[in-house]
Amino acid sequence: MAGKFGQIWGFLRTRKKWWLTPIILFLLLISLVLVLAQGSAIAPFIYAIF
């Protein structure tokens, strides 16, 4: 798993694509929320947003 993050970080640093960083962080945050809320009582409300 760390290898993939290292590759992404290397790509961003080498190609100077810093504008991709907020997009990647936002996608990671949304995926984390969906995974954590999957078994909880708020899951129907989160899935209704999307």
Side-chain angles (χ1 to χ4, degrees):
M1 193 64 116
K4 293 194 186 287
F5 290 120
Q7 285 182 353
I8 292 171
W9 175 250
F11 172 79
L12 293 174
R13 192 178 59 207
T14 304
R15 303 266 196 258
K16 307 281 194 260
K17 303 284 185 184
W18 298 115
W19 57 271
L20 286 173
T21 305
I23 297 169
I24 293 170
L25 290 177
F26 180 74
L27 290 174
L28 287 173
L29 179 68
I30 292 295
S31 63
L32 182 67
V33 167
L34 288 176
V35 167
L36 291 178
Q38 187 174 11
S40 71
I42 62 170
F45 301 108
I46 290 177
Y47 288 117
I49 293 172
F50 298 105

